[in-house]
Amino acid sequence: MQIIDGTIASPKGFQATGLHAGLKKIKKDLGVIYSEVPANAAAVYTTNQVKAAPIFVTKTALKNQSLQAIVVNSGVANACTGKIGMENAKKMQALAAAHLAVDQENVAIASTGVIGKQLPMSVIETGINELDLQKAEPSAFHEAILTTDTNTKEIVVTEKINGQLVTMAGVAKGSGMIHPNMATMLAFITTDACISAQLLQTLLAQKTETTFNQITVDGDTSTNDMVLVLANGLAKNPVIEENSAAYEKFVAMFQLVSETLAKMIAKDGEGATKLIEAQVTGARDALEARLVAKKIVGSSLVKTAIFGEDPNWGRIICAVGYAGSQTDPEKIDMWIGNQQLLKRSQPQLFNKKIMKETLEKETIIIKVELNIGTESGKAWGCDLTYKYIEVNALYHT
């Protein structure tokens, strides 16, 4: 497997572009992903009970497990907008279908931005009609989906599967309101692999649990967000079957793309200066390991300690203790970087100079060994800074 430079349109048969329609003052705010042929599709959605109109429209479209296009706007979430919002979401889908000359039920839509505002449909209609795939700039799509993000988030990988070169690309947005169970972000994955929609859905659900659902920025779950995966089969590989060597290669690609995007989102948390990775081992089962890891990176006290570059292990063990999983408080080992802080729950002397250097890095790894089992799990978050307050205090204005 190889990571290459590329865009969401790097797999065969995909195109993408984006532009500034006018939903935001200056930045790009409308984009499209298009497949030359209908693609097998899978999706996971936010678990917030308050869901935005685009979620319902896309869920309906996915009933046939096939998509040919995804249209996304940023700046306005079209959430909590009632009957008018639902009508606007359906109209957005219809406008995109007409412009791209594809069936309406093969178009997914997604929106992100301020909750409670109606989509300005004249702006949406003009913008959609100006999307030009003949002059496509795929990287413009990466920009068009952003809100408070400070950078685009993308990854492209290739692998030989059954003699054919298969490409997979992923792009995501997410900076605040990140505490998925799914999803609190938007993420889109394209591939030219030939694989059934059913197997794609199974894989997405599995990998969501260990990647996208293991990130947290601020503990808030969004109303809008989703992960959509399209596989158009144009790599012409034999159909990938479950429990085969080809499937294992495809799973490895999917894991790398999903985990990379998840970590990029966590690292770009609003105001963040550091990525925090918690690695929990020695748990009774994998779910409990992931639960403990997520509690660590989600703790406001841990997050502020990391921002202050303070090796306050008491905050970490506190998070372990209230995670709700089985632990033995007398058996816990703990490290920050390579410096061991606890051994069998007893404080250890550590090199303060090396610890200072460790905490100055952009990525901080916290390792916790529970010593009660053999399972492990990871989670990713970011530090909590003064800038987070500033960004969110002024977000609506």
Side-chain angles (χ1 to χ4, degrees):
M1 183 165 45
Q2 183 178 5
I3 298 175
I4 65 169
D5 291 334
T7 69
I8 194 64
S10 290
K12 292 177 182 177
F14 284 98
Q15 296 172 275
T17 194
L19 52 75
H20 175 245
L23 295 163
K24 296 190 289 192
K25 289 182 179 179
I26 301 172
K27 296 180 179 179
K28 293 180 178 65
D29 50 23
L30 186 68
V32 62
I33 300 172
Y34 170 80
S35 174
E36 292 176 6
V37 298
N40 289 335
V44 288
Y45 310 94
T46 180
T47 55
N48 194 318
Q49 293 185 55
V50 179
K51 293 178 173 63
I55 294 287
F56 295 102
V57 172
T58 294
K59 275 189 171 183
T60 300
L62 259 290
K63 286 181 179 179
N64 64 7
Q65 298 182 310
S66 176
L67 289 175
Q68 197 165 355
I70 305 169
V71 178
V72 188
N73 76 272
S74 60
V76 178
N78 194 12
C80 303
T81 47
K83 183 178 179 180
I84 294 174
M86 187 62 69
E87 291 173 352
N88 286 340
K90 291 176 181 177
K91 185 177 180 181
M92 182 175 169
Q93 181 191 40
L95 288 168
H99 180 65
L100 298 169
V102 301
D103 292 338
Q104 185 171 338
E105 61 267 27
N106 270 2
V107 178
I109 63 170
S111 300
T112 183
V114 178
I115 292 171
K117 292 178 64 176
Q118 296 289 354
L119 282 172
M121 291 310 295
S122 60
V123 173
I124 292 289
E125 182 169 4
T126 300
I128 287 175
N129 289 331
E130 289 178 353
L131 290 169
D132 188 352
L133 290 171
Q134 302 306 312
K135 301 177 181 178
E137 298 179 20
S139 59
F141 176 85
H142 302 187
E143 298 173 32
I145 64 176
L146 305 182
T147 50
T148 56
D149 306 62
T150 63
N151 53 62
T152 61
K153 303 164 182 68
E154 63 275 327
I155 178 173
V156 182
V157 298
T158 61
E159 176 68 283
K160 273 282 185 73
I161 296 181
N162 288 335
Q164 299 296 324
L165 185 67
V166 169
T167 303
M168 183 182 295
V171 63
K173 65 81 53 181
S175 188
M177 203 178 280
I178 302 294
H179 187 71
N181 268 310
M182 257 314 296
T184 60
M185 80 217 144
L186 296 180
F188 308 100
I189 297 173
T190 58
T191 179
D192 47 24
C194 187
I195 184 171
S196 72
Q198 293 86 348
L199 192 51
L200 201 61
Q201 183 66 51
T202 298
L203 178 59
L204 174 60
Q206 290 173 346
K207 293 305 176 184
T208 293
E209 285 301 308
T210 59
T211 58
F212 296 117
N213 277 359
Q214 286 300 106
I215 58 176
T216 182
V217 169
D218 50 21
D220 280 317
T221 298
S222 171
T223 56
N224 281 61
D225 301 326
M226 67 182 85
V227 179
L228 281 170
V229 185
L230 275 64
N232 66 14
L234 293 181
K236 303 297 184 183
N237 59 287
V239 178
I240 295 172
E241 301 287 351
E242 194 172 8
N243 300 321
S244 65
Y247 184 61
E248 291 307 311
K249 286 185 176 182
F250 188 80
V251 169
M253 295 173 74
F254 203 91
Q255 173 70 32
L256 178 59
V257 169
S258 300
E259 183 173 318
T260 300
L261 292 177
K263 291 165 73 172
M264 286 177 174
I265 292 168
K267 187 174 183 178
D268 194 32
E270 288 168 342
T273 64
K274 301 178 189 297
L275 172 69
I276 307 171
E277 178 175 311
Q279 303 175 357
V280 175
T281 55
R284 290 190 313 174
D285 61 54
L287 179 59
E288 289 195 348
R290 295 198 302 270
L291 179 63
V292 173
K294 197 168 181 181
K295 284 294 183 182
I296 293 170
V297 298
S299 164
S300 294
L301 291 177
V302 172
K303 291 156 73 68
T304 51
I306 296 301
F307 173 60
E309 299 178 355
D310 176 12
N312 191 336
W313 57 263
R315 296 181 175 185
I316 301 170
I317 199 168
C318 184
V320 172
Y322 66 65
S325 64
Q326 183 66 41
T327 58
D328 185 333
E330 304 301 321
K331 291 184 176 180
I332 298 170
D333 298 337
M334 184 191 301
W335 296 260
I336 293 179
N338 293 320
Q339 294 285 292
Q340 187 165 13
L341 305 177
L342 291 180
K343 185 174 183 179
R344 294 284 167 165
S345 299
Q346 295 300 307
Q348 302 294 299
L349 294 175
F350 58 87
N351 187 305
K352 292 183 179 180
K353 181 176 181 296
I354 295 176
M355 179 62 74
K356 182 176 184 298
E357 293 171 351
T358 297
L359 291 171
E360 288 173 347
K361 295 178 180 179
E362 290 186 0
T363 299
I364 309 299
I365 296 177
I366 298 170
K367 293 179 280 189
V368 174
E369 168 62 52
L370 298 177
N371 286 307
I372 59 171
T374 60
E375 298 298 326
S376 62
K378 295 180 182 179
W380 300 274
C382 61
D383 56 347
L384 183 58
T385 72
Y386 307 119
K387 187 69 176 178
Y388 176 85
I389 305 298
E390 180 183 338
V391 169
N392 282 281
L394 302 176
Y395 181 75
H396 199 270
T397 56

PDB file of all heavy atoms in Angstrom, residues 56-71:
ATOM      1  N   PHE A  56     -31.969  13.343   6.402  1.00  0.00           N
ATOM      2  CA  PHE A  56     -33.143  12.571   5.994  1.00  0.00           C
ATOM      3  C   PHE A  56     -33.182  12.372   4.478  1.00  0.00           C
ATOM      4  O   PHE A  56     -33.528  11.294   3.991  1.00  0.00           O
ATOM      5  CB  PHE A  56     -34.416  13.270   6.476  1.00  0.00           C
ATOM      6  CG  PHE A  56     -34.533  13.329   7.975  1.00  0.00           C
ATOM      7  CD1 PHE A  56     -34.250  14.500   8.652  1.00  0.00           C
ATOM      8  CD2 PHE A  56     -34.897  12.209   8.695  1.00  0.00           C
ATOM      9  CE1 PHE A  56     -34.351  14.559  10.037  1.00  0.00           C
ATOM     10  CE2 PHE A  56     -34.999  12.252  10.080  1.00  0.00           C
ATOM     11  CZ  PHE A  56     -34.721  13.435  10.753  1.00  0.00           C
ATOM     12  N   VAL A  57     -32.816  13.415   3.728  1.00  0.00           N
ATOM     13  CA  VAL A  57     -32.822  13.310   2.272  1.00  0.00           C
ATOM     14  C   VAL A  57     -31.783  12.291   1.804  1.00  0.00           C
ATOM     15  O   VAL A  57     -32.045  11.454   0.930  1.00  0.00           O
ATOM     16  CB  VAL A  57     -32.569  14.688   1.631  1.00  0.00           C
ATOM     17  CG1 VAL A  57     -32.382  14.563   0.122  1.00  0.00           C
ATOM     18  CG2 VAL A  57     -33.730  15.631   1.935  1.00  0.00           C
ATOM     19  N   THR A  58     -30.607  12.331   2.412  1.00  0.00           N
ATOM     20  CA  THR A  58     -29.548  11.395   2.019  1.00  0.00           C
ATOM     21  C   THR A  58     -29.878   9.972   2.444  1.00  0.00           C
ATOM     22  O   THR A  58     -29.621   9.013   1.700  1.00  0.00           O
ATOM     23  CB  THR A  58     -28.201  11.847   2.613  1.00  0.00           C
ATOM     24  OG1 THR A  58     -27.831  13.096   2.006  1.00  0.00           O
ATOM     25  CG2 THR A  58     -27.102  10.834   2.349  1.00  0.00           C
ATOM     26  N   LYS A  59     -30.463   9.802   3.623  1.00  0.00           N
ATOM     27  CA  LYS A  59     -30.884   8.458   4.050  1.00  0.00           C
ATOM     28  C   LYS A  59     -31.860   7.841   3.052  1.00  0.00           C
ATOM     29  O   LYS A  59     -31.766   6.654   2.722  1.00  0.00           O
ATOM     30  CB  LYS A  59     -31.530   8.526   5.437  1.00  0.00           C
ATOM     31  CG  LYS A  59     -30.560   8.483   6.596  1.00  0.00           C
ATOM     32  CD  LYS A  59     -31.307   8.336   7.904  1.00  0.00           C
ATOM     33  CE  LYS A  59     -30.362   8.079   9.056  1.00  0.00           C
ATOM     34  NZ  LYS A  59     -31.090   7.858  10.338  1.00  0.00           N
ATOM     35  N   THR A  60     -32.798   8.654   2.573  1.00  0.00           N
ATOM     36  CA  THR A  60     -33.756   8.165   1.584  1.00  0.00           C
ATOM     37  C   THR A  60     -33.051   7.774   0.293  1.00  0.00           C
ATOM     38  O   THR A  60     -33.339   6.735  -0.306  1.00  0.00           O
ATOM     39  CB  THR A  60     -34.829   9.234   1.306  1.00  0.00           C
ATOM     40  OG1 THR A  60     -35.525   9.527   2.528  1.00  0.00           O
ATOM     41  CG2 THR A  60     -35.826   8.751   0.267  1.00  0.00           C
ATOM     42  N   ALA A  61     -32.111   8.609  -0.137  1.00  0.00           N
ATOM     43  CA  ALA A  61     -31.364   8.319  -1.364  1.00  0.00           C
ATOM     44  C   ALA A  61     -30.574   7.021  -1.242  1.00  0.00           C
ATOM     45  O   ALA A  61     -30.432   6.271  -2.214  1.00  0.00           O
ATOM     46  CB  ALA A  61     -30.422   9.478  -1.694  1.00  0.00           C
ATOM     47  N   LEU A  62     -30.067   6.746  -0.051  1.00  0.00           N
ATOM     48  CA  LEU A  62     -29.217   5.559   0.157  1.00  0.00           C
ATOM     49  C   LEU A  62     -30.006   4.258   0.261  1.00  0.00           C
ATOM     50  O   LEU A  62     -29.402   3.178   0.359  1.00  0.00           O
ATOM     51  CB  LEU A  62     -28.372   5.743   1.416  1.00  0.00           C
ATOM     52  CG  LEU A  62     -26.909   6.168   1.228  1.00  0.00           C
ATOM     53  CD1 LEU A  62     -26.087   5.058   0.621  1.00  0.00           C
ATOM     54  CD2 LEU A  62     -26.802   7.425   0.407  1.00  0.00           C
ATOM     55  N   LYS A  63     -31.323   4.319   0.211  1.00  0.00           N
ATOM     56  CA  LYS A  63     -32.109   3.088   0.302  1.00  0.00           C
ATOM     57  C   LYS A  63     -31.788   2.126  -0.848  1.00  0.00           C
ATOM     58  O   LYS A  63     -31.896   0.910  -0.703  1.00  0.00           O
ATOM     59  CB  LYS A  63     -33.604   3.415   0.327  1.00  0.00           C
ATOM     60  CG  LYS A  63     -34.071   3.991   1.660  1.00  0.00           C
ATOM     61  CD  LYS A  63     -35.562   4.270   1.653  1.00  0.00           C
ATOM     62  CE  LYS A  63     -36.011   4.817   3.010  1.00  0.00           C
ATOM     63  NZ  LYS A  63     -37.465   5.117   3.034  1.00  0.00           N
ATOM     64  N   ASN A  64     -31.389   2.685  -2.003  1.00  0.00           N
ATOM     65  CA  ASN A  64     -31.030   1.816  -3.130  1.00  0.00           C
ATOM     66  C   ASN A  64     -29.544   1.451  -3.137  1.00  0.00           C
ATOM     67  O   ASN A  64     -29.067   0.799  -4.073  1.00  0.00           O
ATOM     68  CB  ASN A  64     -31.416   2.470  -4.463  1.00  0.00           C
ATOM     69  CG  ASN A  64     -30.655   3.760  -4.732  1.00  0.00           C
ATOM     70  OD1 ASN A  64     -29.743   4.125  -3.994  1.00  0.00           O
ATOM     71  ND2 ASN A  64     -31.034   4.465  -5.790  1.00  0.00           N
ATOM     72  N   GLN A  65     -28.808   1.889  -2.105  1.00  0.00           N
ATOM     73  CA  GLN A  65     -27.384   1.563  -1.913  1.00  0.00           C
ATOM     74  C   GLN A  65     -26.520   1.993  -3.100  1.00  0.00           C
ATOM     75  O   GLN A  65     -25.488   1.400  -3.376  1.00  0.00           O
ATOM     76  CB  GLN A  65     -27.208   0.067  -1.643  1.00  0.00           C
ATOM     77  CG  GLN A  65     -27.900  -0.409  -0.379  1.00  0.00           C
ATOM     78  CD  GLN A  65     -27.677  -1.872  -0.103  1.00  0.00           C
ATOM     79  OE1 GLN A  65     -27.866  -2.724  -0.961  1.00  0.00           O
ATOM     80  NE2 GLN A  65     -27.244  -2.192   1.106  1.00  0.00           N
ATOM     81  N   SER A  66     -26.962   3.039  -3.784  1.00  0.00           N
ATOM     82  CA  SER A  66     -26.226   3.529  -4.949  1.00  0.00           C
ATOM     83  C   SER A  66     -26.271   5.051  -4.985  1.00  0.00           C
ATOM     84  O   SER A  66     -27.301   5.657  -4.673  1.00  0.00           O
ATOM     85  CB  SER A  66     -26.840   2.965  -6.229  1.00  0.00           C
ATOM     86  OG  SER A  66     -26.204   3.492  -7.376  1.00  0.00           O
ATOM     87  N   LEU A  67     -25.139   5.660  -5.362  1.00  0.00           N
ATOM     88  CA  LEU A  67     -25.066   7.112  -5.528  1.00  0.00           C
ATOM     89  C   LEU A  67     -24.197   7.428  -6.734  1.00  0.00           C
ATOM     90  O   LEU A  67     -23.282   6.679  -7.075  1.00  0.00           O
ATOM     91  CB  LEU A  67     -24.452   7.792  -4.298  1.00  0.00           C
ATOM     92  CG  LEU A  67     -25.263   7.839  -3.006  1.00  0.00           C
ATOM     93  CD1 LEU A  67     -24.424   8.438  -1.888  1.00  0.00           C
ATOM     94  CD2 LEU A  67     -26.555   8.636  -3.186  1.00  0.00           C
ATOM     95  N   GLN A  68     -24.484   8.560  -7.352  1.00  0.00           N
ATOM     96  CA  GLN A  68     -23.627   9.024  -8.437  1.00  0.00           C
ATOM     97  C   GLN A  68     -23.060  10.404  -8.147  1.00  0.00           C
ATOM     98  O   GLN A  68     -22.099  10.829  -8.794  1.00  0.00           O
ATOM     99  CB  GLN A  68     -24.397   9.038  -9.768  1.00  0.00           C
ATOM    100  CG  GLN A  68     -23.476   9.111 -10.983  1.00  0.00           C
ATOM    101  CD  GLN A  68     -24.163   8.769 -12.279  1.00  0.00           C
ATOM    102  OE1 GLN A  68     -25.338   8.378 -12.303  1.00  0.00           O
ATOM    103  NE2 GLN A  68     -23.451   8.898 -13.391  1.00  0.00           N
ATOM    104  N   ALA A  69     -23.627  11.109  -7.176  1.00  0.00           N
ATOM    105  CA  ALA A  69     -23.139  12.446  -6.869  1.00  0.00           C
ATOM    106  C   ALA A  69     -23.429  12.806  -5.417  1.00  0.00           C
ATOM    107  O   ALA A  69     -24.389  12.317  -4.819  1.00  0.00           O
ATOM    108  CB  ALA A  69     -23.777  13.472  -7.795  1.00  0.00           C
ATOM    109  N   ILE A  70     -22.577  13.662  -4.871  1.00  0.00           N
ATOM    110  CA  ILE A  70     -22.769  14.230  -3.539  1.00  0.00           C
ATOM    111  C   ILE A  70     -22.574  15.738  -3.663  1.00  0.00           C
ATOM    112  O   ILE A  70     -21.549  16.188  -4.165  1.00  0.00           O
ATOM    113  CB  ILE A  70     -21.744  13.682  -2.524  1.00  0.00           C
ATOM    114  CG1 ILE A  70     -21.766  12.148  -2.489  1.00  0.00           C
ATOM    115  CG2 ILE A  70     -22.007  14.254  -1.140  1.00  0.00           C
ATOM    116  CD1 ILE A  70     -20.594  11.557  -1.707  1.00  0.00           C
ATOM    117  N   VAL A  71     -23.550  16.506  -3.223  1.00  0.00           N
ATOM    118  CA  VAL A  71     -23.447  17.965  -3.232  1.00  0.00           C
ATOM    119  C   VAL A  71     -23.419  18.456  -1.790  1.00  0.00           C
ATOM    120  O   VAL A  71     -24.254  18.047  -0.980  1.00  0.00           O
ATOM    121  CB  VAL A  71     -24.603  18.612  -4.002  1.00  0.00           C
ATOM    122  CG1 VAL A  71     -24.496  20.131  -3.957  1.00  0.00           C
ATOM    123  CG2 VAL A  71     -24.602  18.143  -5.448  1.00  0.00           C
TER     124      VAL A  71
END
